[in-house]
Amino acid sequence: MHIDVDLSKCCGYGNCTFHAPTVFELDESEGVVIVLAPDPPAEDQDAARLAAEDCPTDAILISET
Amino acid sequence: MIPEAGTPPPRVLIVGASLAGCTVATELRRYDFAGEILLIGAEPEPPYERPPLSKAALTRGEGEAELSLASAAELARLEIDWRGDAAAKALDVSGNAVELAGGERLDYDVLVIATGAEPRRLPSAGAGEVHYLRTAADARALRADLLGAESVAVVGGGFIGCEVAASAAQLGKRATIVEMGRSLMEKGLGYSPMSTTCLQLHLDHGVAVELGATVLGIDRDGLRYRVALSGGADLEVDAVVVGIGVEPAVAWLEGSGLELDDGVVCDVDGRAAARVYAAGDVARRFDPSRGEHVRGEHWTGALAEAKAVARTILHHAPAPLPLPYVWSDQHGVRLQVVGDFADAEVFERESDGDGRGRTLVMGYRDGRLAGAAGLGASGRIAGLRIELEAARRRLEIA
C-alpha cells in the first residue's frame, strides 16, 4: 500500500489521525496532514483505508500495490 | 408520477452546481442510483471549490485545474447531465418543474435546491466599483486588480475579509480591514480571547484594522478610491473589496409556496416539501441538537447536508450531521473553529507559552465544553472535535 495526499485539499479535519495515528498526523501550525508512514505495515492498513474513506475532502489517495 | 417508498425515482433535478449540488449528484451515483441526474448551475464553469478563492486563487492565481470539484468529463462519465450558464428563474411545485432564465421548463421527480448564497451588496458603494468575492470570475478580477495595486481596503472583517487581507499582505500589498463590529470574525469567534489573538495576528503582519467603523461612501479619485469611514478617517486605496456576508439565493423561489426564511426551510433530512430538498448555504435546516432551524455557511456542513439528502432520496437511513467546523488560513497559519463556539457563555484561553504562537480557546455552555477555536493548534482541535462529537452522541442516547 502506498499513500499520497493532496495537501491543497486538506482542511485539517483530522479524521485521518484519529483513525490511524501512526500513519497520519497534523502539522500543528498549518493544519495540514503529514504522512508518517507512506508505505504502512499490514497492521495499519485497514486503519489507513478508513482514514481515506472518512476524509471529507478526499485528500488521501491510497494505491493498493 | 409519485415514486413509491422503497423505490428510487427516475429523474433528480439539482439546481445549483457548487459543492452541495455536485455532491448530491456524485453521491447518488456512488450509491448506484441508475436514474437520470440533471445538475444545473448558473455559472459557466463546471463545479469548483470556493474556499481557495480567497487564498491560492488570489496569491497564486490557481484556477480551473486546481479548483475543480468535478470536470465536465468526469460528470459525463458518471452520466450526470451537467449544464452551466443555466440559471433557474422559477419553481412550479405542483407541476414538478423548474423554469430556467431562458424560458426552458425542466421536469423532475425529485428536486434538490442547492443555489447557495450571494454576497450582500454594500449600499454606500457605487455600482460596479468594488469587488465582491464569491465566484471564480470574481477571484480572477480581484487578483488582477490586486497585482497592480499598492493598497487595498477590505470592507468586512469576517472570514472572507480576513483571508483576502492576508492574501493581499502575502502579495506585498497594504491592506486595511474595515469592520463594523467590535472584533474580527465575530460571527464565528464571538467576542472571545481568540478574537484578540486574530486581531494581533493581522496587526503583526502589517494589516491595518479599523473596528467599529462603517463605510459612509466610496468615491473614485482618478485611478484610486477614497473610502470615507464613520469616525471621520478616509482611506485612499487602489482597490476595494467588500465581504460583508451573504444572503441565501432564494429570489427564484418567491411565489413557489416553499417556506422561505433566511433560506429554504427544511427538516433534519433536508426535506422542504414532498419531493423537494435543500442542501448547502441556501438551506435552513432543522437541527435537533439545537431545537431550531439553522442555515450553515461552511464547507463541511454543506458537504454533510448534501450527502444526507442523497441518502434520503434513496430511502437510506440518514446519518447524523457533524458538528460545525470551520477552517481559515491567514498569514500562513490555520484557524479552526469547532462546535458551538461563538455563542459560548464562558471562554478559557490556553496559549503555547514557548512563543510558537499556538492558541487554543475553549468555549463552555452550561458548564460543559461546547466548542473550541484554535490558531496553529490543529492536533488539539482535531482531538477536541472527536471528543465533542462523542459527547454529543452520549447526550442524544441519554
Side-chain angles (χ1 to χ4, degrees):
Chain A
M1 170 185 283
H2 183 74
I3 299 173
D4 286 302
V5 291
D6 184 346
L7 288 180
S8 69
K9 284 185 172 179
C10 177
C11 73
Y13 207 53
N15 276 349
C16 54
T17 186
F18 169 66
H19 289 308
T22 54
V23 182
F24 303 99
E25 143 181 300
L26 291 179
D27 173 283
E28 193 69 345
S29 175
E30 289 183 40
V32 292
V33 62
I34 298 170
V35 185
L36 301 169
D39 304 288
E43 63 264 25
D44 289 337
Q45 290 183 11
D46 277 344
R49 279 180 205 103
L50 187 51
E53 221 176 273
D54 240 8
C55 170
T57 58
D58 293 329
I60 301 172
L61 310 151
I62 296 197
S63 15
E64 307 273 5
T65 47
Chain B
M1 68 156 280
I2 297 171
E4 290 181 329
T7 27
R11 179 194 262 193
V12 177
L13 170 61
I14 303 167
V15 180
S18 191
L19 177 69
C22 183
T23 298
V24 173
T26 55
E27 282 290 291
L28 287 171
R29 285 297 183 233
R30 204 168 66 83
Y31 283 117
D32 296 321
F33 170 65
E36 258 189 273
I37 300 175
L38 194 44
L39 175 65
I40 68 167
E43 296 179 61
E45 297 95 347
Y48 63 87
E49 294 275 28
R50 296 200 199 279
L53 295 181
S54 47
K55 313 186 229 332
L58 296 182
T59 58
R60 292 201 296 272
E62 282 189 1
E64 188 159 347
E66 299 90 348
L67 271 52
S68 173
L69 262 174
S71 67
E74 282 164 335
L75 293 168
R77 203 164 38 242
L78 289 169
E79 290 183 59
I80 293 168
D81 184 2
W82 166 72
R83 294 190 212 175
D85 262 330
K89 193 173 106 173
L91 168 62
D92 175 1
V93 172
S94 56
N96 300 310
V98 163
E99 189 187 325
L100 298 187
E104 187 184 351
R105 257 178 87 90
L106 296 173
D107 295 318
Y108 62 81
D109 294 293
V110 168
L111 171 68
V112 179
I113 297 167
T115 42
E118 284 149 1
R120 209 171 271 147
R121 301 288 146 174
L122 183 68
S124 46
E129 290 179 341
V130 301
H131 291 277
Y132 293 91
L133 183 58
R134 179 74 181 178
T135 67
D138 292 339
R140 281 192 299 271
L142 175 54
R143 173 172 157 86
D145 222 9
L146 279 178
L147 289 178
E150 276 178 14
S151 59
V152 57
V154 180
V155 181
F159 288 112
I160 295 292
C162 286
E163 287 191 349
V164 170
S167 295
Q170 194 175 321
L171 289 170
K173 316 300 173 177
R174 260 191 347 272
T176 304
I177 298 173
V178 178
E179 164 56 44
M180 152 175 108
R182 57 190 169 158
S183 64
L184 297 176
M185 295 171 279
E186 197 159 348
K187 199 162 162 186
L189 299 180
Y191 190 52
S192 67
M194 184 55 80
S195 315
T196 337
T197 300
C198 289
L199 173 64
Q200 196 57 50
L201 177 71
H202 281 276
L203 297 176
D204 287 347
H205 284 85
V207 173
V209 181
E210 301 280 346
L211 294 172
T214 56
V215 173
L216 300 177
I218 301 178
D219 292 308
R220 287 222 73 156
D221 182 14
L223 287 174
R224 316 196 75 208
Y225 295 88
R226 184 179 300 115
V227 181
L229 302 183
S230 57
D234 276 4
L235 298 175
E236 292 249 351
V237 293
D238 303 308
V240 181
V241 191
V242 175
I244 53 174
V246 295
E247 300 286 357
V250 295
W252 70 284
L253 296 167
E254 300 288 345
S256 64
L258 290 184
E259 191 186 346
L260 305 174
D261 177 13
D262 184 33
V264 176
V265 177
C266 50
D267 68 15
V268 61
D269 298 322
R271 200 180 283 105
R275 303 203 262 159
V276 179
Y277 298 86
D281 289 2
V282 80
R284 192 167 171 82
R285 193 184 59 87
F286 185 72
D287 183 346
S289 68
R290 294 170 67 139
E292 59 181 359
H293 287 83
V294 177
R295 188 178 67 75
E297 291 180 349
H298 299 301
W299 199 93
T300 50
L303 185 85
E305 285 178 5
K307 289 181 172 181
V309 161
R311 291 175 65 90
T312 308
I313 287 170
L314 298 177
H315 307 287
H316 294 334
L321 263 57
L323 285 171
Y325 172 77
V326 187
W327 84 93
S328 179
D329 297 328
Q330 300 175 27
H331 302 295
V333 75
R334 182 157 275 180
L335 168 67
Q336 293 162 293
V337 190
V338 59
D340 180 13
F341 179 77
D343 295 328
E345 292 163 346
V346 177
F347 293 109
E348 250 178 45
R349 167 204 267 278
E350 227 185 79
S351 217
D352 187 0
D354 71 7
R356 275 189 292 146
R358 178 173 68 189
T359 305
L360 187 66
V361 180
M362 318 289 222
Y364 296 88
R365 172 178 286 284
D366 298 328
R368 274 196 294 264
L369 184 69
L375 185 68
S378 296
R380 293 296 308 283
I381 286 289
L384 285 166
R385 186 180 59 75
I386 303 290
E387 246 180 72
L388 284 164
E389 292 278 9
R392 183 173 68 155
R393 277 196 301 274
R394 282 196 297 273
L395 280 174
E396 283 166 4
I397 292 165

